[in-house]
PDB file of all heavy atoms in Angstrom:
ATOM      1  N   HIS A  39     -15.914 146.495  65.824  1.00 91.00           N
ATOM      2  CA  HIS A  39     -16.711 146.146  66.995  1.00 91.00           C
ATOM      3  C   HIS A  39     -18.139 145.880  66.545  1.00 91.00           C
ATOM      4  O   HIS A  39     -18.577 146.381  65.511  1.00 91.00           O
ATOM      5  CB  HIS A  39     -16.647 147.262  68.036  1.00 91.00           C
ATOM      6  CG  HIS A  39     -15.330 147.337  68.738  1.00 91.00           C
ATOM      7  ND1 HIS A  39     -14.286 148.115  68.290  1.00 91.00           N
ATOM      8  CD2 HIS A  39     -14.864 146.707  69.835  1.00 91.00           C
ATOM      9  CE1 HIS A  39     -13.239 147.961  69.085  1.00 91.00           C
ATOM     10  NE2 HIS A  39     -13.565 147.106  70.031  1.00 91.00           N
ATOM     11  N   PRO A  40     -18.885 145.096  67.313  1.00 85.00           N
ATOM     12  CA  PRO A  40     -20.240 144.715  66.926  1.00 85.00           C
ATOM     13  C   PRO A  40     -21.085 145.915  66.530  1.00 85.00           C
ATOM     14  O   PRO A  40     -21.119 146.927  67.241  1.00 85.00           O
ATOM     15  CB  PRO A  40     -20.784 144.039  68.184  1.00 85.00           C
ATOM     16  CG  PRO A  40     -19.578 143.505  68.849  1.00 85.00           C
ATOM     17  CD  PRO A  40     -18.487 144.504  68.604  1.00 85.00           C
ATOM     18  N   ASN A  41     -21.720 145.791  65.367  1.00 78.00           N
ATOM     19  CA  ASN A  41     -22.610 146.837  64.850  1.00 78.00           C
ATOM     20  C   ASN A  41     -21.918 148.184  64.660  1.00 78.00           C
ATOM     21  O   ASN A  41     -22.563 149.233  64.749  1.00 78.00           O
ATOM     22  CB  ASN A  41     -23.825 147.005  65.767  1.00 78.00           C
ATOM     23  CG  ASN A  41     -24.617 145.719  65.877  1.00 78.00           C
ATOM     24  OD1 ASN A  41     -24.905 145.072  64.871  1.00 78.00           O
ATOM     25  ND2 ASN A  41     -24.928 145.316  67.095  1.00 78.00           N
ATOM     26  N   LYS A  42     -20.616 148.133  64.421  1.00 82.00           N
ATOM     27  CA  LYS A  42     -19.867 149.363  64.180  1.00 82.00           C
ATOM     28  C   LYS A  42     -19.113 149.251  62.854  1.00 82.00           C
ATOM     29  O   LYS A  42     -18.998 148.182  62.265  1.00 82.00           O
ATOM     30  CB  LYS A  42     -18.859 149.603  65.314  1.00 82.00           C
ATOM     31  CG  LYS A  42     -19.488 149.870  66.667  1.00 82.00           C
ATOM     32  CD  LYS A  42     -20.093 151.248  66.714  1.00 82.00           C
ATOM     33  CE  LYS A  42     -20.780 151.531  68.033  1.00 82.00           C
ATOM     34  NZ  LYS A  42     -19.864 151.808  69.115  1.00 82.00           N
ATOM     35  N   GLY A  43     -18.558 150.378  62.417  1.00 86.00           N
ATOM     36  CA  GLY A  43     -17.745 150.376  61.211  1.00 86.00           C
ATOM     37  C   GLY A  43     -16.344 149.866  61.498  1.00 86.00           C
ATOM     38  O   GLY A  43     -16.036 149.405  62.592  1.00 86.00           O
ATOM     39  N   LEU A  44     -15.491 149.962  60.502  1.00 92.00           N
ATOM     40  CA  LEU A  44     -14.115 149.476  60.613  1.00 92.00           C
ATOM     41  C   LEU A  44     -13.190 150.606  61.037  1.00 92.00           C
ATOM     42  O   LEU A  44     -13.243 151.710  60.502  1.00 92.00           O
ATOM     43  CB  LEU A  44     -13.657 148.933  59.261  1.00 92.00           C
ATOM     44  CG  LEU A  44     -14.376 147.676  58.836  1.00 92.00           C
ATOM     45  CD1 LEU A  44     -14.689 147.686  57.366  1.00 92.00           C
ATOM     46  CD2 LEU A  44     -13.528 146.467  59.186  1.00 92.00           C
ATOM     47  N   GLN A  45     -12.321 150.294  61.979  1.00 93.00           N
ATOM     48  CA  GLN A  45     -11.374 151.288  62.477  1.00 93.00           C
ATOM     49  C   GLN A  45      -9.958 150.805  62.196  1.00 93.00           C
ATOM     50  O   GLN A  45      -9.632 149.647  62.464  1.00 93.00           O
ATOM     51  CB  GLN A  45     -11.573 151.503  63.983  1.00 93.00           C
ATOM     52  CG  GLN A  45     -10.645 152.549  64.586  1.00 93.00           C
ATOM     53  CD  GLN A  45     -10.812 152.661  66.091  1.00 93.00           C
ATOM     54  OE1 GLN A  45     -11.288 151.756  66.751  1.00 93.00           O
ATOM     55  NE2 GLN A  45     -10.401 153.798  66.633  1.00 93.00           N
ATOM     56  N   LEU A  46      -9.121 151.690  61.675  1.00 92.00           N
ATOM     57  CA  LEU A  46      -7.740 151.335  61.403  1.00 92.00           C
ATOM     58  C   LEU A  46      -6.955 151.215  62.701  1.00 92.00           C
ATOM     59  O   LEU A  46      -6.934 152.137  63.515  1.00 92.00           O
ATOM     60  CB  LEU A  46      -7.097 152.392  60.500  1.00 92.00           C
ATOM     61  CG  LEU A  46      -5.636 152.174  60.142  1.00 92.00           C
ATOM     62  CD1 LEU A  46      -5.468 150.941  59.253  1.00 92.00           C
ATOM     63  CD2 LEU A  46      -5.063 153.396  59.459  1.00 92.00           C
ATOM     64  N   LEU A  47      -6.302 150.043  62.883  1.00 95.00           N
ATOM     65  CA  LEU A  47      -5.461 149.831  64.058  1.00 95.00           C
ATOM     66  C   LEU A  47      -4.021 150.264  63.783  1.00 95.00           C
ATOM     67  O   LEU A  47      -3.394 150.913  64.610  1.00 95.00           O
ATOM     68  CB  LEU A  47      -5.443 148.348  64.421  1.00 95.00           C
ATOM     69  CG  LEU A  47      -6.525 147.777  65.308  1.00 95.00           C
ATOM     70  CD1 LEU A  47      -6.267 146.300  65.529  1.00 95.00           C
ATOM     71  CD2 LEU A  47      -6.597 148.521  66.630  1.00 95.00           C
ATOM     72  N   LEU A  48      -3.505 149.819  62.639  1.00 94.00           N
ATOM     73  CA  LEU A  48      -2.129 150.141  62.285  1.00 94.00           C
ATOM     74  C   LEU A  48      -1.902 149.820  60.816  1.00 94.00           C
ATOM     75  O   LEU A  48      -2.695 149.134  60.189  1.00 94.00           O
ATOM     76  CB  LEU A  48      -1.126 149.371  63.156  1.00 94.00           C
ATOM     77  CG  LEU A  48      -1.295 147.866  63.315  1.00 94.00           C
ATOM     78  CD1 LEU A  48      -0.776 147.090  62.125  1.00 94.00           C
ATOM     79  CD2 LEU A  48      -0.608 147.378  64.587  1.00 94.00           C
ATOM     80  N   LYS A  49      -0.763 150.359  60.289  1.00 91.00           N
ATOM     81  CA  LYS A  49      -0.437 150.104  58.892  1.00 91.00           C
ATOM     82  C   LYS A  49       1.071 149.936  58.714  1.00 91.00           C
ATOM     83  O   LYS A  49       1.871 150.518  59.440  1.00 91.00           O
ATOM     84  CB  LYS A  49      -0.935 151.256  58.010  1.00 91.00           C
ATOM     85  CG  LYS A  49      -0.216 152.584  58.253  1.00 91.00           C
ATOM     86  CD  LYS A  49      -0.664 153.642  57.249  1.00 91.00           C
ATOM     87  CE  LYS A  49       0.079 154.955  57.497  1.00 91.00           C
ATOM     88  NZ  LYS A  49      -0.293 155.982  56.505  1.00 91.00           N
ATOM     89  N   TYR A  50       1.431 149.119  57.737  1.00 89.00           N
ATOM     90  CA  TYR A  50       2.823 148.930  57.355  1.00 89.00           C
ATOM     91  C   TYR A  50       2.969 149.386  55.902  1.00 89.00           C
ATOM     92  O   TYR A  50       2.234 148.932  55.019  1.00 89.00           O
ATOM     93  CB  TYR A  50       3.236 147.466  57.469  1.00 89.00           C
ATOM     94  CG  TYR A  50       4.532 147.185  56.753  1.00 89.00           C
ATOM     95  CD1 TYR A  50       5.750 147.544  57.328  1.00 89.00           C
ATOM     96  CD2 TYR A  50       4.538 146.620  55.474  1.00 89.00           C
ATOM     97  CE1 TYR A  50       6.938 147.321  56.653  1.00 89.00           C
ATOM     98  CE2 TYR A  50       5.731 146.397  54.804  1.00 89.00           C
ATOM     99  CZ  TYR A  50       6.920 146.752  55.395  1.00 89.00           C
ATOM    100  OH  TYR A  50       8.098 146.551  54.722  1.00 89.00           O
ATOM    101  N   THR A  51       3.938 150.288  55.678  1.00 80.00           N
ATOM    102  CA  THR A  51       4.135 150.775  54.311  1.00 80.00           C
ATOM    103  C   THR A  51       5.609 150.833  53.977  1.00 80.00           C
ATOM    104  O   THR A  51       6.094 151.812  53.429  1.00 80.00           O
ATOM    105  CB  THR A  51       3.487 152.160  54.123  1.00 80.00           C
ATOM    106  OG1 THR A  51       3.985 153.027  55.146  1.00 80.00           O
ATOM    107  CG2 THR A  51       1.990 152.093  54.171  1.00 80.00           C
ATOM    108  N   SER A  52       6.355 149.799  54.320  1.00 74.00           N
ATOM    109  CA  SER A  52       7.764 149.591  53.963  1.00 74.00           C
ATOM    110  C   SER A  52       8.743 150.479  54.727  1.00 74.00           C
ATOM    111  O   SER A  52       9.871 150.636  54.301  1.00 74.00           O
ATOM    112  CB  SER A  52       7.992 149.743  52.451  1.00 74.00           C
ATOM    113  OG  SER A  52       7.995 151.108  52.063  1.00 74.00           O
ATOM    114  N   ALA A  53       8.331 151.020  55.822  1.00 73.00           N
ATOM    115  CA  ALA A  53       9.269 151.745  56.690  1.00 73.00           C
ATOM    116  C   ALA A  53       9.743 150.741  57.754  1.00 73.00           C
ATOM    117  O   ALA A  53      10.288 149.712  57.425  1.00 73.00           O
ATOM    118  CB  ALA A  53       8.611 152.963  57.293  1.00 73.00           C
ATOM    119  N   ALA A  54       9.553 151.028  59.015  1.00 83.00           N
ATOM    120  CA  ALA A  54       9.963 150.108  60.076  1.00 83.00           C
ATOM    121  C   ALA A  54       9.146 148.830  60.009  1.00 83.00           C
ATOM    122  O   ALA A  54       7.946 148.854  59.743  1.00 83.00           O
ATOM    123  CB  ALA A  54       9.781 150.771  61.428  1.00 83.00           C
TER     124      ALA A  54
END
Side-chain angles (χ1 to χ4, degrees):
Chain A
H39 287 91
N41 300 313
K42 295 287 178 76
L44 292 140
Q45 181 184 22
L46 179 67
L47 274 181
L48 50 79
K49 67 174 181 178
Y50 165 78
T51 53
S52 76

